[in-house]
Amino acid sequence: MARDRKPSLPRARRARALSAAAGATAVLTLGTTVLVGGTEAQAAAKPRGHDVSGHQKNVDWRKAKRKGATFVYVKATESHTYRNPRFAQQYNGSRRVGMARGAYHFALPHQSSGRTQAAFFVRNGGAWRGDGWTLPPAVDLENNPYGRTNGRNRCYGLTPDRMVAWIRSFSDEVRRRTGRRPVIYTTTLWWDRCTGGSRAFGSRHALWLARYSSSPGRLPAGWSYWTFWQFNNARGSLPGDQNLFNGSLRQLSTFTRR
């Protein structure tokens, strides 16, 4: 995920970690539409989008739209203190050129409660309204980018039970304040390790899967399809990380309203 502060891991090493959740190509569903993921031709038919943070600075949104961007997620906050200083330009600028946009929060579960971080997020860009343009709030759950690469830091020192409780607390507070459950951004490897393969969230939370590969691969426990797929990092044609939506443009519009 695009972030403002430099991770301690080299990007190439992080990409290998994100790609580690390999598996057979799955039959994926969105509503009543059946989609078989895995080939570049099939992926190219899905709406393209991206995610950005303060690292991308002031984005040229007209140029991004010309290059095919239909949606974007913008980093709003991190933990309970950090706010993206470029958020207004990115969030409002993308809307002005006719793109669907949403806000995401980078979680640091060892620093404060899920409820605290959710409240901070919603107050600073993570709100939602069913206007046909606003994607539901999203929470970024992945390896700690600021610590050493051992098991403790990958999961922020939380046991699987405590991590599940943290995520539930964050989700409940976002739902209470916005009326929507957050989209969960994660990798299959991180989810298996840090939540113990919890199946508690798949039925009520859209999945934003991170896997830098030609196919989505095996999904985290609890999900039978992905809604967004981050298939490449900041090396594509759009600013920030590269994403696809698992459906049509009409379904993307529906997703912003329900």
Side-chain angles (χ1 to χ4, degrees):
M1 182 73 80
R3 287 190 301 276
D4 302 317
R5 288 177 269 179
K6 184 178 179 181
S8 58
L9 283 177
R11 182 173 288 275
R13 187 174 176 186
R14 177 171 172 259
R16 288 196 296 272
L18 286 169
S19 300
T25 299
V27 176
L28 309 170
T29 64
L30 178 67
T32 58
T33 304
V34 177
L35 304 164
V36 181
T39 69
E40 291 185 5
Q42 289 164 331
K46 303 182 192 300
R48 293 174 55 215
H50 52 138
D51 60 88
V52 298
S53 72
H55 182 72
Q56 278 70 47
K57 300 182 179 179
N58 288 340
V59 175
D60 185 336
W61 292 109
R62 294 188 183 279
K63 183 177 180 180
K65 185 79 181 295
R66 288 196 302 269
K67 288 189 173 185
T70 60
F71 67 89
V72 65
Y73 264 106
V74 178
K75 179 176 180 177
T77 53
E78 181 173 311
S79 187
H80 58 274
T81 57
Y82 179 82
R83 294 178 294 178
N84 174 10
R86 309 282 182 167
F87 180 78
Q89 191 277 341
Q90 295 173 347
Y91 190 79
N92 297 327
S94 54
R95 169 66 185 90
R96 281 194 290 268
V97 300
M99 292 170 58
R101 83 289 191 248
Y104 77 86
H105 172 78
F106 190 85
L108 294 179
H110 63 309
Q111 292 191 349
S112 53
S113 70
R115 181 179 180 181
T116 295
Q117 292 194 29
F120 179 72
F121 171 47
V122 174
R123 289 197 306 268
N124 292 283
W128 175 83
R129 58 180 179 171
D131 56 4
W133 296 100
T134 306
L135 296 166
V139 58
D140 181 348
L141 297 163
E142 60 175 285
N143 289 347
N144 183 352
Y146 308 120
R148 294 171 298 169
T149 56
N150 56 42
R152 177 178 175 81
N153 278 288
R154 275 194 288 259
C155 301
Y156 302 90
L158 274 63
T159 64
D161 285 347
R162 289 181 62 201
M163 184 65 75
V164 167
W166 191 97
I167 298 169
R168 183 175 291 114
S169 174
F170 184 95
S171 174
D172 287 348
E173 186 65 10
V174 168
R175 172 70 174 81
R176 188 182 73 82
R177 289 173 176 264
T178 71
R180 292 292 298 260
R181 292 284 179 186
V183 174
I184 291 179
Y185 168 99
T186 195
T187 71
T188 302
L189 182 64
W190 187 93
W191 194 261
D192 286 350
R193 175 186 291 126
C194 296
T195 73
S198 173
R199 306 182 67 86
F201 299 92
S203 63
R204 294 192 296 170
H205 298 76
L207 173 65
W208 182 359
L209 180 70
R211 186 174 191 262
Y212 300 166
S213 184
S214 60
S215 69
R218 182 172 63 88
L219 303 183
W223 280 278
S224 59
Y225 63 90
W226 53 269
T227 299
F228 297 101
W229 171 25
Q230 186 185 88
F231 65 91
N232 206 342
N233 61 6
R235 296 174 182 169
S237 60
L238 301 176
D241 299 325
Q242 314 298 297
N243 296 272
L244 296 174
F245 175 74
N246 196 3
S248 65
L249 284 173
R250 179 173 291 183
Q251 287 171 314
L252 178 63
S253 179
T254 299
F255 186 63
T256 65
R257 292 185 171 92
R258 53 172 148 154

